[in-house]
Amino acid sequence: GPTAAATSYHTFAEAMAEIDTVAARYPQIARKFVAGKSYQGRDIAGLKISDNVATDEDEPEVLIIANIHARERLTAEQALDHIARLTQGYGSDSRITQLVNGREIWIMPMVNPDGQVYDMTSDTSSGRMWRKNRQPNGTSTGTDLNRNFAYRWGCCGGSSGNGASETYRGTAAESAPETKVLANFVRSRVVGGEQQLKMFLDIHSVAELVLWPFGYTYSDTVAGAMSADEQATHRAIGRELAGTNGFTPEQSSDLYITDGTTIDWTWGQYRIFSLTFELGGGSFYPPPSAIDGEVQRSREALLRLTEYADCPYRAIGKQG
Ligand SMILES: NS(=O)(=O)N[C@@H](CCC(=O)O)C(=O)O
Ligand SMILES: [Zn+2]
C-alpha cells in the first residue's frame, strides 16, 4: 500500500532498520549489502534491488547514493523513497516490474553515517549544519567526501587544503575511509573487464539543480574524457529529468568549480553516465511535513534515470 506520510527524518539506526525490513519483506528482489565501514566503524550499507537478486545477472546496473553531506537530510529520504517505490510496486506496476526485472539497482541512503549521526544528535531542533565526515585532520575535523575522489583530485581550485574548510579535500585522494569504501564498491562492479554500472546518481541538497560532469573545468567537452556525444547525452538526460521535477539543469562547473567530486570520478574513471541532484525544500532541514512533497517531486526523475541504464545514448537518439 502507499507509504505512510513521513512525520520525521530517519535516524541512521532507523534507516538501517528500514533496509533490514525491506530485505526481509522482499527477499526475491531486495538484498542488503554492506560496502564497508566509516571512520568511526559504522556500516556503509545499501540494498541491491533486482529480480533473482542473489544472482549477478548480465543486466545494466545503476548506483544511487545519498547523504554524502551530513546535513543534507532530505537526500536520504529520497533514496529510501526510491527503495519503497521499487519494492512496493514490483508485481503490480508494470513499469516498475520491468525495471526491476531488467536492472540491478544499488541504493545507498546514508554514505556518510558518522557525519549524519553527529549532525542529527544536536541539541537544536534542526541540526549542527555539519557537512563533512568525522575524521580528525590535525587541528580540525572532517574531510569533504565530495572533494576526496581520485579523478583530478585537488587539481583546479575546486577544494581546500585547509582542514578547517568545509571543502577540505583530505590529505590525498581516497584518504577518507568512506571515499575508499565507495570507490572500492564501484571498482568491484568491473566484471569480466567491463564496468557493469551504467548510470550513477549522487543526491545532494539544497538548490533544485540537476548537474552533470565535469566540475573541474568550465569546458563542455574534453578530448579523451568527454566527447561531444557524451556531453550531449549527459545534457539531454539532465534536461529531461529536470523537466520532470522543475529543477535547473546545468554542468556542475556552471555552479562553481569543484575537484575530487563523485561524478567527475565515476564518469572520468569509468565512463558511468553520472548526475548530481540538488533537491529542494528551501533549507538543509525542511520541516518534516515537507518531506513527502519534496520527495515526490523527483520520483519520476529517479525512475527515468534507472530506465536509461540500458542505453543512455537513447537520450540523443543514438544506438549504443
Ligand atoms: N550539496 S552542495 O555541497 O551544496 N553542492 C555540491 C555540488 C556538487 C557538484 O558540483 O558536483 C558540492 O559542492 O559538493
Ligand atoms: Zn552536498
mmCIF file with all atom_site columns, all heavy atoms in Angstrom, residues 191-208:
data_model
loop_
_atom_site.group_PDB
_atom_site.id
_atom_site.type_symbol
_atom_site.label_atom_id
_atom_site.label_alt_id
_atom_site.label_comp_id
_atom_site.label_asym_id
_atom_site.label_entity_id
_atom_site.label_seq_id
_atom_site.pdbx_PDB_ins_code
_atom_site.Cartn_x
_atom_site.Cartn_y
_atom_site.Cartn_z
_atom_site.occupancy
_atom_site.B_iso_or_equiv
_atom_site.pdbx_formal_charge
_atom_site.auth_seq_id
_atom_site.auth_comp_id
_atom_site.auth_asym_id
_atom_site.auth_atom_id
_atom_site.pdbx_PDB_model_num
ATOM 1   N N   . VAL A 1 191 ? 33.313 -6.354 -13.998 1.00 0.00 ? 191 VAL A N   1
ATOM 2   C CA  . VAL A 1 191 ? 33.180 -7.813 -14.108 1.00 0.00 ? 191 VAL A CA  1
ATOM 3   C C   . VAL A 1 191 ? 33.575 -8.215 -15.522 1.00 0.00 ? 191 VAL A C   1
ATOM 4   O O   . VAL A 1 191 ? 33.084 -7.621 -16.490 1.00 0.00 ? 191 VAL A O   1
ATOM 5   C CB  . VAL A 1 191 ? 31.726 -8.251 -13.810 1.00 0.00 ? 191 VAL A CB  1
ATOM 6   C CG1 . VAL A 1 191 ? 31.567 -9.760 -13.983 1.00 0.00 ? 191 VAL A CG1 1
ATOM 7   C CG2 . VAL A 1 191 ? 31.311 -7.821 -12.396 1.00 0.00 ? 191 VAL A CG2 1
ATOM 8   N N   . GLY A 1 192 ? 34.506 -9.147 -15.638 1.00 0.00 ? 192 GLY A N   1
ATOM 9   C CA  . GLY A 1 192 ? 34.941 -9.564 -16.963 1.00 0.00 ? 192 GLY A CA  1
ATOM 10  C C   . GLY A 1 192 ? 35.544 -8.395 -17.737 1.00 0.00 ? 192 GLY A C   1
ATOM 11  O O   . GLY A 1 192 ? 35.379 -8.288 -18.950 1.00 0.00 ? 192 GLY A O   1
ATOM 12  N N   . GLY A 1 193 ? 36.174 -7.476 -16.999 1.00 0.00 ? 193 GLY A N   1
ATOM 13  C CA  . GLY A 1 193 ? 36.836 -6.360 -17.664 1.00 0.00 ? 193 GLY A CA  1
ATOM 14  C C   . GLY A 1 193 ? 35.904 -5.226 -18.032 1.00 0.00 ? 193 GLY A C   1
ATOM 15  O O   . GLY A 1 193 ? 36.333 -4.225 -18.604 1.00 0.00 ? 193 GLY A O   1
ATOM 16  N N   . GLU A 1 194 ? 34.598 -5.355 -17.723 1.00 0.00 ? 194 GLU A N   1
ATOM 17  C CA  . GLU A 1 194 ? 33.653 -4.295 -18.086 1.00 0.00 ? 194 GLU A CA  1
ATOM 18  C C   . GLU A 1 194 ? 32.958 -3.745 -16.852 1.00 0.00 ? 194 GLU A C   1
ATOM 19  O O   . GLU A 1 194 ? 32.447 -4.514 -16.020 1.00 0.00 ? 194 GLU A O   1
ATOM 20  C CB  . GLU A 1 194 ? 32.599 -4.817 -19.071 1.00 0.00 ? 194 GLU A CB  1
ATOM 21  C CG  . GLU A 1 194 ? 31.670 -3.706 -19.573 1.00 0.00 ? 194 GLU A CG  1
ATOM 22  C CD  . GLU A 1 194 ? 30.441 -4.224 -20.311 1.00 0.00 ? 194 GLU A CD  1
ATOM 23  O OE1 . GLU A 1 194 ? 30.398 -5.421 -20.611 1.00 0.00 ? 194 GLU A OE1 1
ATOM 24  O OE2 . GLU A 1 194 ? 29.522 -3.410 -20.567 1.00 0.00 ? 194 GLU A OE2 1
ATOM 25  N N   . GLN A 1 195 ? 32.922 -2.445 -16.732 1.00 0.00 ? 195 GLN A N   1
ATOM 26  C CA  . GLN A 1 195 ? 32.176 -1.788 -15.652 1.00 0.00 ? 195 GLN A CA  1
ATOM 27  C C   . GLN A 1 195 ? 30.681 -2.016 -15.885 1.00 0.00 ? 195 GLN A C   1
ATOM 28  O O   . GLN A 1 195 ? 30.125 -1.599 -16.897 1.00 0.00 ? 195 GLN A O   1
ATOM 29  C CB  . GLN A 1 195 ? 32.509 -0.285 -15.634 1.00 0.00 ? 195 GLN A CB  1
ATOM 30  C CG  . GLN A 1 195 ? 31.721 0.545  -14.648 1.00 0.00 ? 195 GLN A CG  1
ATOM 31  C CD  . GLN A 1 195 ? 31.816 0.090  -13.209 1.00 0.00 ? 195 GLN A CD  1
ATOM 32  O OE1 . GLN A 1 195 ? 30.882 -0.550 -12.725 1.00 0.00 ? 195 GLN A OE1 1
ATOM 33  N NE2 . GLN A 1 195 ? 32.934 0.375  -12.532 1.00 0.00 ? 195 GLN A NE2 1
ATOM 34  N N   . GLN A 1 196 ? 30.040 -2.709 -14.924 1.00 0.00 ? 196 GLN A N   1
ATOM 35  C CA  . GLN A 1 196 ? 28.625 -3.053 -15.075 1.00 0.00 ? 196 GLN A CA  1
ATOM 36  C C   . GLN A 1 196 ? 27.705 -1.873 -14.776 1.00 0.00 ? 196 GLN A C   1
ATOM 37  O O   . GLN A 1 196 ? 26.572 -1.826 -15.254 1.00 0.00 ? 196 GLN A O   1
ATOM 38  C CB  . GLN A 1 196 ? 28.259 -4.214 -14.130 1.00 0.00 ? 196 GLN A CB  1
ATOM 39  C CG  . GLN A 1 196 ? 29.117 -5.477 -14.329 1.00 0.00 ? 196 GLN A CG  1
ATOM 40  C CD  . GLN A 1 196 ? 28.985 -6.059 -15.712 1.00 0.00 ? 196 GLN A CD  1
ATOM 41  O OE1 . GLN A 1 196 ? 27.890 -6.368 -16.173 1.00 0.00 ? 196 GLN A OE1 1
ATOM 42  N NE2 . GLN A 1 196 ? 30.112 -6.163 -16.416 1.00 0.00 ? 196 GLN A NE2 1
ATOM 43  N N   . LEU A 1 197 ? 28.199 -0.921 -13.968 1.00 0.00 ? 197 LEU A N   1
ATOM 44  C CA  . LEU A 1 197 ? 27.404 0.265  -13.648 1.00 0.00 ? 197 LEU A CA  1
ATOM 45  C C   . LEU A 1 197 ? 27.337 1.160  -14.885 1.00 0.00 ? 197 LEU A C   1
ATOM 46  O O   . LEU A 1 197 ? 28.372 1.477  -15.487 1.00 0.00 ? 197 LEU A O   1
ATOM 47  C CB  . LEU A 1 197 ? 28.016 1.031  -12.480 1.00 0.00 ? 197 LEU A CB  1
ATOM 48  C CG  . LEU A 1 197 ? 27.958 0.346  -11.116 1.00 0.00 ? 197 LEU A CG  1
ATOM 49  C CD1 . LEU A 1 197 ? 28.899 1.020  -10.129 1.00 0.00 ? 197 LEU A CD1 1
ATOM 50  C CD2 . LEU A 1 197 ? 26.530 0.338  -10.567 1.00 0.00 ? 197 LEU A CD2 1
ATOM 51  N N   . LYS A 1 198 ? 26.101 1.550  -15.261 1.00 0.00 ? 198 LYS A N   1
ATOM 52  C CA  . LYS A 1 198 ? 25.937 2.372  -16.462 1.00 0.00 ? 198 LYS A CA  1
ATOM 53  C C   . LYS A 1 198 ? 25.395 3.767  -16.146 1.00 0.00 ? 198 LYS A C   1
ATOM 54  O O   . LYS A 1 198 ? 25.536 4.693  -16.934 1.00 0.00 ? 198 LYS A O   1
ATOM 55  C CB  . LYS A 1 198 ? 24.978 1.668  -17.439 1.00 0.00 ? 198 LYS A CB  1
ATOM 56  C CG  . LYS A 1 198 ? 25.438 0.280  -17.850 1.00 0.00 ? 198 LYS A CG  1
ATOM 57  C CD  . LYS A 1 198 ? 26.803 0.316  -18.509 1.00 0.00 ? 198 LYS A CD  1
ATOM 58  C CE  . LYS A 1 198 ? 27.286 -1.091 -18.868 1.00 0.00 ? 198 LYS A CE  1
ATOM 59  N NZ  . LYS A 1 198 ? 28.694 -1.092 -19.330 1.00 0.00 ? 198 LYS A NZ  1
ATOM 60  N N   . MET A 1 199 ? 24.728 3.905  -14.973 1.00 0.00 ? 199 MET A N   1
ATOM 61  C CA  . MET A 1 199 ? 24.209 5.211  -14.554 1.00 0.00 ? 199 MET A CA  1
ATOM 62  C C   . MET A 1 199 ? 24.539 5.383  -13.076 1.00 0.00 ? 199 MET A C   1
ATOM 63  O O   . MET A 1 199 ? 24.462 4.414  -12.295 1.00 0.00 ? 199 MET A O   1
ATOM 64  C CB  . MET A 1 199 ? 22.683 5.296  -14.717 1.00 0.00 ? 199 MET A CB  1
ATOM 65  C CG  . MET A 1 199 ? 22.157 5.234  -16.128 1.00 0.00 ? 199 MET A CG  1
ATOM 66  S SD  . MET A 1 199 ? 22.602 6.664  -17.163 1.00 0.00 ? 199 MET A SD  1
ATOM 67  C CE  . MET A 1 199 ? 21.815 8.007  -16.300 1.00 0.00 ? 199 MET A CE  1
ATOM 68  N N   . PHE A 1 200 ? 24.894 6.611  -12.689 1.00 0.00 ? 200 PHE A N   1
ATOM 69  C CA  . PHE A 1 200 ? 25.209 6.935  -11.292 1.00 0.00 ? 200 PHE A CA  1
ATOM 70  C C   . PHE A 1 200 ? 24.485 8.216  -10.905 1.00 0.00 ? 200 PHE A C   1
ATOM 71  O O   . PHE A 1 200 ? 24.448 9.171  -11.702 1.00 0.00 ? 200 PHE A O   1
ATOM 72  C CB  . PHE A 1 200 ? 26.717 7.119  -11.109 1.00 0.00 ? 200 PHE A CB  1
ATOM 73  C CG  . PHE A 1 200 ? 27.123 7.641  -9.758  1.00 0.00 ? 200 PHE A CG  1
ATOM 74  C CD1 . PHE A 1 200 ? 27.056 6.835  -8.629  1.00 0.00 ? 200 PHE A CD1 1
ATOM 75  C CD2 . PHE A 1 200 ? 27.570 8.952  -9.609  1.00 0.00 ? 200 PHE A CD2 1
ATOM 76  C CE1 . PHE A 1 200 ? 27.419 7.323  -7.375  1.00 0.00 ? 200 PHE A CE1 1
ATOM 77  C CE2 . PHE A 1 200 ? 27.934 9.444  -8.366  1.00 0.00 ? 200 PHE A CE2 1
ATOM 78  C CZ  . PHE A 1 200 ? 27.864 8.622  -7.240  1.00 0.00 ? 200 PHE A CZ  1
ATOM 79  N N   . LEU A 1 201 ? 23.926 8.235  -9.696  1.00 0.00 ? 201 LEU A N   1
ATOM 80  C CA  . LEU A 1 201 ? 23.275 9.430  -9.162  1.00 0.00 ? 201 LEU A CA  1
ATOM 81  C C   . LEU A 1 201 ? 23.771 9.697  -7.753  1.00 0.00 ? 201 LEU A C   1
ATOM 82  O O   . LEU A 1 201 ? 23.738 8.793  -6.901  1.00 0.00 ? 201 LEU A O   1
ATOM 83  C CB  . LEU A 1 201 ? 21.743 9.266  -9.136  1.00 0.00 ? 201 LEU A CB  1
ATOM 84  C CG  . LEU A 1 201 ? 20.958 10.417 -8.491  1.00 0.00 ? 201 LEU A CG  1
ATOM 85  C CD1 . LEU A 1 201 ? 21.154 11.715 -9.275  1.00 0.00 ? 201 LEU A CD1 1
ATOM 86  C CD2 . LEU A 1 201 ? 19.473 10.074 -8.403  1.00 0.00 ? 201 LEU A CD2 1
ATOM 87  N N   . ASP A 1 202 ? 24.231 10.925 -7.508  1.00 0.00 ? 202 ASP A N   1
ATOM 88  C CA  . ASP A 1 202 ? 24.639 11.378 -6.180  1.00 0.00 ? 202 ASP A CA  1
ATOM 89  C C   . ASP A 1 202 ? 23.624 12.428 -5.737  1.00 0.00 ? 202 ASP A C   1
ATOM 90  O O   . ASP A 1 202 ? 23.503 13.483 -6.379  1.00 0.00 ? 202 ASP A O   1
ATOM 91  C CB  . ASP A 1 202 ? 26.051 11.973 -6.261  1.00 0.00 ? 202 ASP A CB  1
ATOM 92  C CG  . ASP A 1 202 ? 26.597 12.380 -4.909  1.00 0.00 ? 202 ASP A CG  1
ATOM 93  O OD1 . ASP A 1 202 ? 25.957 12.083 -3.874  1.00 0.00 ? 202 ASP A OD1 1
ATOM 94  O OD2 . ASP A 1 202 ? 27.676 13.011 -4.871  1.00 0.00 ? 202 ASP A OD2 1
ATOM 95  N N   . ILE A 1 203 ? 22.836 12.118 -4.709  1.00 0.00 ? 203 ILE A N   1
ATOM 96  C CA  . ILE A 1 203 ? 21.750 13.006 -4.288  1.00 0.00 ? 203 ILE A CA  1
ATOM 97  C C   . ILE A 1 203 ? 22.232 13.941 -3.180  1.00 0.00 ? 203 ILE A C   1
ATOM 98  O O   . ILE A 1 203 ? 22.664 13.498 -2.108  1.00 0.00 ? 203 ILE A O   1
ATOM 99  C CB  . ILE A 1 203 ? 20.522 12.213 -3.799  1.00 0.00 ? 203 ILE A CB  1
ATOM 100 C CG1 . ILE A 1 203 ? 20.112 11.128 -4.798  1.00 0.00 ? 203 ILE A CG1 1
ATOM 101 C CG2 . ILE A 1 203 ? 19.347 13.180 -3.615  1.00 0.00 ? 203 ILE A CG2 1
ATOM 102 C CD1 . ILE A 1 203 ? 18.974 10.236 -4.317  1.00 0.00 ? 203 ILE A CD1 1
ATOM 103 N N   . HIS A 1 204 ? 22.164 15.237 -3.489  1.00 0.00 ? 204 HIS A N   1
ATOM 104 C CA  . HIS A 1 204 ? 22.533 16.316 -2.565  1.00 0.00 ? 204 HIS A CA  1
ATOM 105 C C   . HIS A 1 204 ? 21.324 17.228 -2.340  1.00 0.00 ? 204 HIS A C   1
ATOM 106 O O   . HIS A 1 204 ? 20.265 17.054 -2.935  1.00 0.00 ? 204 HIS A O   1
ATOM 107 C CB  . HIS A 1 204 ? 23.671 17.154 -3.161  1.00 0.00 ? 204 HIS A CB  1
ATOM 108 C CG  . HIS A 1 204 ? 25.001 16.479 -3.183  1.00 0.00 ? 204 HIS A CG  1
ATOM 109 N ND1 . HIS A 1 204 ? 26.054 16.857 -2.380  1.00 0.00 ? 204 HIS A ND1 1
ATOM 110 C CD2 . HIS A 1 204 ? 25.478 15.435 -3.920  1.00 0.00 ? 204 HIS A CD2 1
ATOM 111 C CE1 . HIS A 1 204 ? 27.102 16.099 -2.623  1.00 0.00 ? 204 HIS A CE1 1
ATOM 112 N NE2 . HIS A 1 204 ? 26.784 15.218 -3.552  1.00 0.00 ? 204 HIS A NE2 1
ATOM 113 N N   . SER A 1 205 ? 21.510 18.218 -1.488  1.00 0.00 ? 205 SER A N   1
ATOM 114 C CA  . SER A 1 205 ? 20.563 19.334 -1.387  1.00 0.00 ? 205 SER A CA  1
ATOM 115 C C   . SER A 1 205 ? 21.389 20.578 -1.061  1.00 0.00 ? 205 SER A C   1
ATOM 116 O O   . SER A 1 205 ? 22.546 20.440 -0.618  1.00 0.00 ? 205 SER A O   1
ATOM 117 C CB  . SER A 1 205 ? 19.506 19.049 -0.303  1.00 0.00 ? 205 SER A CB  1
ATOM 118 O OG  . SER A 1 205 ? 20.093 19.072 0.997   1.00 0.00 ? 205 SER A OG  1
ATOM 119 N N   . VAL A 1 206 ? 20.955 21.819 -1.219  1.00 0.00 ? 206 VAL A N   1
ATOM 120 C CA  . VAL A 1 206 ? 19.598 22.263 -1.446  1.00 0.00 ? 206 VAL A CA  1
ATOM 121 C C   . VAL A 1 206 ? 19.626 23.418 -2.471  1.00 0.00 ? 206 VAL A C   1
ATOM 122 O O   . VAL A 1 206 ? 20.030 24.524 -2.143  1.00 0.00 ? 206 VAL A O   1
ATOM 123 C CB  . VAL A 1 206 ? 18.987 22.756 -0.115  1.00 0.00 ? 206 VAL A CB  1
ATOM 124 C CG1 . VAL A 1 206 ? 19.798 23.844 0.557   1.00 0.00 ? 206 VAL A CG1 1
ATOM 125 C CG2 . VAL A 1 206 ? 17.536 23.151 -0.323  1.00 0.00 ? 206 VAL A CG2 1
ATOM 126 N N   . ALA A 1 207 ? 19.363 23.087 -3.727  1.00 0.00 ? 207 ALA A N   1
ATOM 127 C CA  . ALA A 1 207 ? 19.438 24.164 -4.734  1.00 0.00 ? 207 ALA A CA  1
ATOM 128 C C   . ALA A 1 207 ? 18.540 23.900 -5.937  1.00 0.00 ? 207 ALA A C   1
ATOM 129 O O   . ALA A 1 207 ? 18.505 24.710 -6.854  1.00 0.00 ? 207 ALA A O   1
ATOM 130 C CB  . ALA A 1 207 ? 20.882 24.333 -5.202  1.00 0.00 ? 207 ALA A CB  1
ATOM 131 N N   . GLU A 1 208 ? 17.845 22.772 -5.981  1.00 0.00 ? 208 GLU A N   1
ATOM 132 C CA  . GLU A 1 208 ? 16.959 22.439 -7.103  1.00 0.00 ? 208 GLU A CA  1
ATOM 133 C C   . GLU A 1 208 ? 17.717 22.465 -8.433  1.00 0.00 ? 208 GLU A C   1
ATOM 134 O O   . GLU A 1 208 ? 17.372 23.227 -9.359  1.00 0.00 ? 208 GLU A O   1
ATOM 135 C CB  . GLU A 1 208 ? 15.737 23.369 -7.131  1.00 0.00 ? 208 GLU A CB  1
ATOM 136 C CG  . GLU A 1 208 ? 14.933 23.299 -5.834  1.00 0.00 ? 208 GLU A CG  1
ATOM 137 C CD  . GLU A 1 208 ? 13.541 23.897 -5.935  1.00 0.00 ? 208 GLU A CD  1
ATOM 138 O OE1 . GLU A 1 208 ? 13.157 24.358 -7.026  1.00 0.00 ? 208 GLU A OE1 1
ATOM 139 O OE2 . GLU A 1 208 ? 12.828 23.877 -4.908  1.00 0.00 ? 208 GLU A OE2 1
#
